[in-house]
Structures are given as C-alpha cells and as structure tokens.
C-alpha cells in the first residue's frame, strides 16, 4: 500500500516535466505542463473545453 508520494517515488515514475510559456486569457494566466512518465511516456489529457463538456454530461 502506497502511503505517501515521496521524491524517490516521483523520480522513479517521472522522466521529465516540461512547462510551456504562459498565456493570458479570461483574466487568468494559463500554463501547460507536459509530464513524461518513465514507462508510458506522455499521456494525452482532454483540453479545457472537452473537460467542461464531460463534466456537464456527467450524472449527478
């Protein structure tokens, strides 16, 4: 059982993290970060609009 996410575990699981330049829109600064995992590489995540659409369609 994993009790805490330690720096040692992070170093084993994550190959690198790339933080991109920030963009300012909607009165907020937004920065994209790509996390490359050691075994699977980068995982695609839904963009903001897709995330909001999924949230609005979810039951509850």
């Amino acid at each position: 059982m994993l009790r805490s996410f330690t720096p040692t575990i992070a170093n084993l699981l994550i190959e690198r993290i790339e933080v991109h330049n920030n963009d300012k829109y909607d009165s907020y600064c937004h920065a994209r970060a790509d996390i490359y995992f050691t075994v699977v590489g980068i995982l695609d995540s839904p963009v903001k609009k897709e995330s909001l659409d999924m949230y609005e369609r979810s039951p509850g």
Side-chain angles (χ1 to χ4, degrees), residues 6-44:
T6 64
T8 303
I9 294 172
N11 287 330
L12 289 172
L13 296 176
I14 298 172
E15 181 179 332
R16 72 178 186 269
I17 300 173
E18 295 179 358
V19 180
H20 300 272
N21 292 334
N22 63 340
D23 295 321
K24 188 171 183 178
Y25 57 91
D26 298 334
S27 300
Y28 294 98
C29 286
H30 302 269
R32 193 180 87 198
D34 294 333
I35 302 173
Y36 292 83
F37 295 94
T38 54
V39 177
V40 295
I42 190 168
L43 298 175
D44 289 330

Side-chain angles (χ1 to χ4, degrees), residues 55-60:
Y55 175 76
E56 289 172 356
R57 286 190 308 238
S58 66

